[in-house]
Amino acid sequence: MDARAPIAETDKKPEQAASAPRPRRWRGRLILLILLIVAGAIVWRLRTAPPQQNAAAGRFGRDVPTQIVAASVKNGDIHVRLSALGTVTSLATVTVKTQISGQLTKIEFKEGQEVKKGDPLVEIDWRPYQLALEQAQGTLAKDDALLEDAQLDLARYEGLAKTNAIPRQQLDTQRALVHQYQGNVSTDQAQIDVAKLNISYCHVVAPIDGLVGLRQVDAGNYVMSNDTNGIVVITQIKPISALFSLPQANLPVIRKLLASGQPVEVTAYDGSGVNVLETGELVTADSQIDTTTGTIKLRAQFPNDKEILYPNQFVNISMLTDTLKDVPTLPVAAVQHGVPGDFVYLINADQTVSVRIIETGPSEGGAIAVKSGLATGDQVVLEGADKLRDGSKISLGQPGAGGSGKGKGGSGGAPAGEGASAPAASGAAVAPGAAAAPSPGAAAPQGDGAAPVAASGGAAAASAAGPAAGASVDPNNPRKGRHLRTSQ
């Protein structure tokens, strides 16, 4: 039994060893099959993706003309202006106060009423001053009688003095008495004039033309000349002025304009800076510069016939300093911005565009002056510049069909390294005729036989704006042969 037992155990071991690996081999085959299916799906996806990218690249590639809207460089006038924030200020503001004391009996104006100089405003009780007038008139009549009597005596004394009938001293005394009465009469007459003046002060009238404000006292109150608030405030609004400040660097130009004697046009705009409120002219400048701000204060005057301007109103001031006559101009929307400065896309005779660096001047009403870089008659891209690069083919379209790129500094004129229309990458200058550097996320244009350029948007990004990063191009046909290559 002991000898056969080991033999039985050794007979079982080969069967167990043969049957154990079978489940493991099936699991391994199943995993391998799954990996093959996944790999096949990835290969199929990679082979089917490039045709969509090629279609997008074909739309935006150099071989397809880009539709744009053109604008011509024309000669025109550009007005040079200085702008500032101003405050409307009345030329005269008067607080109407009484010059005598008395009871306010009548108010003859309405709040907010426009009055003329001399119009009645209020009336103060004049009866006490009328009695004072009558008293002064009575005193004058008495002194007149005394003066007349003294003058008659003087005439008699002068006749007697010729015959030495009276002493010389008596004649001199009579003459002095006449002069005394004459002084009394003059004093009485002054008292009468004062009483009449006080009566006139009882009828308060408007001292200037202007707009009446809110009254400070009601009828029935006792008013005095030392009242601080007064009765009412009158503000002149026609004409009216505006105070504004400009940097001291503009002082030579301002002084030259004032010394010329010619009217300097000043326009007041509303808070939006679009609507014209009133047009006037520059009057004067302050006698010194404000050391705290480094500015010079100026005053402009406006007729304000329509009473649009109101005291203490904030307005935008535009002062005309010069007019550039018959200079080359083009729309502001055609000017792009980049690292080299201002530039435009110049339309060539072969229906291509080239980058042209320009120097611009003042702008007005959507047009900007061109100092250098363009000539009258040149055509530049107005709309559709966001899809162009140096040497791109173009086709002319109608306004509004050229895409974005409207407005100076808009999407059509993005700085270099930020948009498709930038003429150069950061830190590089572009001369006319040179190719522009690609911007992030934009399709890199490929020429025949050129090496592929990868966009910085990511290796796996495939969008309608351009081919994916790492795509290769068939030199014979840019629309074919693009295959996605994974980057390490």
Side-chain angles (χ1 to χ4, degrees), residues 62-428:
R62 284 193 182 184
D63 54 339
V64 178
T66 301
Q67 190 176 26
I68 59 93
V69 175
S72 298
V73 179
K74 301 178 181 179
N75 285 353
D77 296 344
I78 296 293
H79 298 91
V80 183
R81 298 179 179 272
L82 296 176
S83 300
L85 181 64
T87 304
V88 179
T89 306
S90 175
L91 292 173
T93 301
V94 178
T95 300
V96 180
K97 296 183 178 181
T98 177
Q99 294 179 276
I100 59 173
S101 299
Q103 186 181 20
L104 189 63
T105 58
K106 185 187 296 184
I107 294 179
E108 301 186 17
F109 69 90
K110 294 181 179 179
E111 295 175 326
Q113 175 186 351
E114 187 173 349
V115 296
K116 298 293 184 180
K117 182 178 180 179
D119 289 350
L121 297 178
V122 297
E123 184 177 305
I124 300 172
D125 188 7
W126 51 270
R127 292 174 297 175
Y129 302 100
Q130 180 65 33
L131 294 176
L133 173 61
E134 294 176 357
Q135 183 179 1
Q137 289 174 343
T139 304
L140 176 61
K142 183 185 69 172
D143 290 339
D144 275 338
L146 294 175
L147 175 60
E148 184 179 358
D149 182 59
Q151 287 175 341
L152 292 175
D153 289 343
L154 177 60
R156 286 193 294 266
Y157 290 164
E158 287 176 346
L160 294 174
K162 292 179 181 180
T163 61
N164 295 323
I166 60 172
R168 184 74 179 179
Q169 181 182 2
Q170 188 176 359
L171 176 62
D172 295 337
T173 302
Q174 189 62 32
R175 285 177 178 173
L177 184 61
V178 170
H179 291 317
Q180 178 183 350
Y181 288 151
Q182 287 176 344
N184 291 341
V185 169
S186 299
T187 302
D188 295 339
Q189 184 62 48
Q191 293 297 327
I192 293 175
D193 294 339
V194 169
K196 290 181 178 179
L197 184 61
N198 288 335
I199 293 175
S200 68
Y201 286 159
C202 292
H203 305 277
V204 181
V205 297
I208 61 171
D209 298 345
L211 198 64
V212 176
L214 303 178
R215 69 172 182 267
Q216 305 298 321
V217 64
D218 297 326
N221 286 275
Y222 189 85
V223 295
M224 296 181 293
S225 58
N226 58 355
D227 288 341
T228 57
N229 294 330
I231 298 174
V232 72
V233 177
I234 300 179
T235 304
Q236 180 180 344
I237 60 173
K238 293 190 298 185
I240 203 167
S241 68
L243 295 177
F244 60 99
S245 298
L246 290 174
Q248 62 180 0
N250 298 316
L251 185 56
V253 176
I254 296 171
R255 290 184 60 85
K256 183 179 179 181
L257 292 173
L258 291 174
S260 65
Q262 300 296 326
V264 180
E265 179 183 310
V266 178
T267 306
Y269 293 85
D270 62 358
S272 65
V274 177
N275 301 317
V276 177
L277 300 179
E278 189 65 87
T279 301
E281 63 181 38
L282 182 66
V283 177
T284 185
D286 199 359
S287 58
Q288 57 186 355
I289 295 174
D290 188 349
T291 56
T292 59
T293 60
T295 58
I296 182 71
K297 187 176 292 185
L298 300 100
R299 183 188 295 273
Q301 184 171 315
F302 304 90
N304 201 28
D305 293 331
K306 297 181 180 179
E307 301 181 7
I308 299 177
L309 300 180
Y310 212 74
N312 298 332
Q313 176 183 1
F314 289 103
V315 292
N316 289 303
I317 299 295
S318 177
M319 184 175 70
L320 179 65
T321 60
D322 193 11
T323 300
L324 304 178
K325 294 186 177 295
D326 200 29
V327 294
T329 63
L330 76 159
V332 176
V335 181
Q336 313 297 322
H337 300 284
V339 173
D342 295 337
F343 69 96
V344 295
Y345 286 104
L346 181 65
I347 300 177
N348 302 320
D350 58 353
Q351 295 299 306
T352 61
V353 295
S354 58
V355 174
R356 177 67 60 87
I357 308 289
I358 64 172
E359 182 182 359
T360 59
S363 62
E364 180 190 22
I368 188 170
V370 180
K371 294 183 178 179
S372 63
L374 294 173
T376 304
D378 289 344
Q379 285 194 322
V380 297
V381 176
L382 179 62
E383 297 182 15
D386 56 331
K387 304 175 184 178
L388 298 178
R389 285 175 174 80
D390 191 79
S392 298
K393 295 181 179 180
I394 53 96
S395 63
L396 298 179
Q398 297 297 326
S404 59
K406 301 178 181 179
K408 190 173 182 180
S411 59
E418 296 182 4
S421 62
S426 178

